[in-house]
Amino acid sequence: MSSSTSPPLLTRQQVLRALRQLERDDQPLPPSTVYDLVYRGRRYPPRAVAQLAYRLATDDATATWPLGSGAPTNRLLEKLDFTITTKRPTLANSSLDGDVAAQEQLADLYTGRPSRQPLRAAKGAIVGEPAATYGSSPTYTRHQAEQEVFLAPQKLDAALAGLRRRKNLLLQGPPGTGKTFLARRLAWLELGTQDAARTELVQFHPSYSYEDFVQGFRPDAGGKFRLTDGLLVQLCRRATQDPTRPYFLLIDELNRGNVSRIFGELLLLLEADKRGPAHAVALPYAPAGTHFYVPENLYVIGTMNTADRSLTPLDYALRRRFAFVELEPEFGPAFQEFLRRQGMGAEIIQQIATRLTELNQTIADDPDLGVDFRIGHSYFCQPPAQPQEHPAWLRLILEQEIAPLLAEYWLDEPTKATAARRRLLA
């Protein structure tokens, strides 16, 4: 018989039977790591549900669920009209959010009422969700960081010290100075591994809001408005459930958003000494009598482009809660050694270092620009593998990326832009 006419491994009724048994039994169910089966506002590990349903259907307590974890199992459950959602953040309007009971999702971060009882599994072995693909992340060492970030060891130590002291760090500097790159590596250094499961990256922008970041009512796939958690609340929940390990929220272009509006009352909870249940506050959209807090093992690293003239400075309320680290263009020995390891010839390396250093001095000396508008080294960190391609690669970067930026800098003084471009491409 062909696979297209084979009977299904499970029916919807068999899965429902397993779900009912899970609720009745008194053995804790292993939590899922990546995906959840959402049914009547509760979340279940999809493969554990399928495993139990398969054993009940075959009347064999030792039967092994034949499909692989992740997509194979999820597709079968979705064909049976069950909702599979990711534990990672999803788009607020996604159908994956439609059946999730938002009040229960927040239970572990509320101090105003006890959390609901955990789901139970049938006695005997239950197959839990396998580790996520990012679960076996490679380690990350201090030596690796020093090879990548071009910072002096003392400055790297100072950045880590500020992060540990304030729990909130802001990396600021001109464009192309590797702020987001460094933010990731500071998190990896503290984690000791390149663990994507314990880091989240978000970019602020003028349309980003409190409802996106913290909590608000958003439309679901059925056209109904539901209370939906933002990225911060989701990450806080994960950190609260794993209190012995650090978690990191990376905010790119923090000053491009309306920071006071995005954070709201979270400005208070971000303070290093205002973490934990003792300092919980009521959220505007949360159920009455419930409170929210930021766990002590959550760290925030933001980046800020100092050359963006469209942005207003950060208010003092936010500044008081962050430690600040200034990043500068790095065309010195560490950067040049990095290019040598990439197979770049000495002549091309010297051209980059000399021309960009001269250009940055011109920009810094301009009274209408200054040091915040210098050009960073990130433009040159990904040379092609073949050395013969390096000259053309460098010229294209200077013509297509640096020169247009100079024209924008000196929009009202085109002769300055033309002169700087000529020296750059000489």
Side-chain angles (χ1 to χ4, degrees):
M1 183 178 295
S2 67
S3 58
S4 61
T5 59
S6 299
L9 290 170
L10 292 174
T11 67
R12 180 175 173 82
Q13 289 304 315
Q14 290 166 341
V15 177
L16 291 174
R17 180 186 174 192
L19 291 172
R20 288 192 292 268
Q21 181 163 328
L22 290 175
E23 291 183 338
R24 291 195 305 266
D25 200 84
D26 61 355
Q27 182 177 347
L29 188 69
S32 61
T33 57
V34 184
Y35 300 102
D36 282 334
L37 185 157
V38 180
Y39 181 70
R40 292 185 177 177
R42 294 196 174 185
R43 291 176 174 250
Y44 306 80
R47 193 162 187 266
V49 171
Q51 174 72 90
L52 177 58
Y54 189 65
R55 288 177 175 175
L56 294 174
T58 59
D59 196 24
D60 182 356
T62 63
T64 300
W65 175 239
L67 295 185
S69 60
T73 296
N74 295 343
R75 279 197 294 265
L76 182 141
L77 292 171
E78 286 173 332
K79 288 180 180 179
L80 300 177
D81 293 329
F82 290 100
T83 297
I84 304 297
T85 183
T86 177
K87 295 176 77 73
R88 306 278 285 167
T90 59
L91 294 175
N93 293 340
S94 168
S95 60
L96 298 178
D97 290 336
D99 294 328
V100 180
Q103 295 183 13
E104 291 188 356
Q105 288 181 342
L106 282 171
D108 289 332
L109 292 176
Y110 287 155
T111 60
R113 67 176 181 183
S115 299
R116 60 178 170 84
Q117 292 297 315
L119 298 176
R120 306 297 180 178
K123 288 183 172 63
I126 294 293
V127 178
E129 282 291 287
T133 55
Y134 46 73
S136 56
S137 304
T139 57
Y140 193 76
T141 66
R142 175 63 181 255
H143 177 72
Q144 288 175 276
E146 291 180 353
Q147 294 293 309
E148 292 182 330
V149 299
F150 315 135
L151 287 182
Q154 298 86 346
K155 190 164 187 177
L156 185 57
D157 287 335
L160 290 170
L163 177 63
R164 294 162 185 163
R165 184 181 71 254
R166 299 296 297 164
K167 295 185 182 292
N168 308 306
L169 185 71
L170 190 59
L171 307 175
Q172 61 179 7
T177 47
K179 297 180 287 294
T180 306
F181 186 86
L182 176 59
R184 284 190 184 278
R185 277 136 188 89
L186 290 175
W188 290 349
L189 272 177
E190 291 297 275
L191 296 172
T193 178
Q194 301 175 38
D195 190 351
R198 288 188 281 153
T199 58
E200 291 295 347
L201 173 66
V202 62
Q203 185 179 69
F204 281 3
H205 52 79
S207 297
Y208 201 71
S209 69
Y210 177 93
E211 289 75 15
D212 298 314
F213 191 57
V214 183
Q215 188 185 71
F217 284 93
R218 306 296 296 268
D220 63 17
K224 297 180 180 180
F225 281 83
R226 294 182 182 272
L227 186 61
T228 305
D229 300 335
L231 174 62
L232 178 65
V233 172
Q234 296 183 49
L235 185 58
C236 283
R237 182 185 309 108
R238 284 156 50 194
T240 301
Q241 295 169 349
D242 188 13
T244 62
R245 300 195 298 172
Y247 281 70
F248 285 85
L249 174 61
L250 312 181
I251 305 176
D252 195 33
E253 302 284 3
L254 182 140
N255 57 330
R256 287 196 59 81
N258 185 334
V259 177
S260 297
R261 181 175 182 273
I262 292 171
F263 278 94
E265 66 282 335
L266 269 299
L267 280 179
L268 169 68
L269 302 185
L270 279 179
E271 291 191 41
D273 59 352
K274 299 295 190 297
R275 303 292 182 90
H279 301 281
V281 301
L283 299 181
Y285 299 108
T290 61
H291 296 77
F292 171 82
Y293 64 90
V294 175
E296 295 183 3
N297 59 327
L298 179 70
Y299 295 81
V300 179
I301 305 178
T303 71
M304 185 169 71
N305 183 354
T306 56
D308 196 330
R309 286 184 269 202
S310 67
L311 306 176
T312 57
L314 296 180
D315 62 35
Y316 290 113
L318 186 71
R319 284 186 173 275
R320 288 197 302 270
R321 289 158 173 83
F322 279 80
F324 283 74
V325 173
E326 292 278 350
L327 297 185
E328 299 182 351
E330 299 286 350
F331 293 102
F335 174 74
Q336 295 178 36
E337 176 60 29
F338 168 80
L339 293 183
R340 276 192 287 272
R341 292 197 302 269
Q342 303 299 309
M344 187 172 292
E347 183 179 352
I348 298 295
I349 293 175
Q350 189 60 35
Q351 287 181 16
I352 294 173
T354 301
R355 295 183 188 186
L356 270 296
T357 299
E358 292 176 356
L359 174 62
N360 281 336
Q361 188 61 55
T362 300
I363 293 172
D365 292 341
D366 191 300
D368 294 325
L369 296 175
V371 294
D372 287 341
F373 290 81
R374 291 173 294 171
I375 308 300
H377 50 273
S378 297
Y379 291 95
F380 309 98
C381 286
Q382 294 182 319
Q386 302 302 319
Q388 62 270 22
E389 299 177 11
H390 290 167
W393 163 81
L394 174 59
R395 187 164 190 87
L396 286 176
I397 290 178
L398 298 178
E399 289 180 344
Q400 297 176 347
E401 301 180 45
I402 308 299
L405 187 59
L406 300 180
E408 180 67 24
Y409 280 178
W410 286 299
L411 185 63
D412 298 327
E413 299 177 276
T415 55
K416 278 190 177 181
T418 300
R421 183 181 186 277
R422 186 181 301 114
R423 289 193 297 271
L424 192 65
L425 298 172

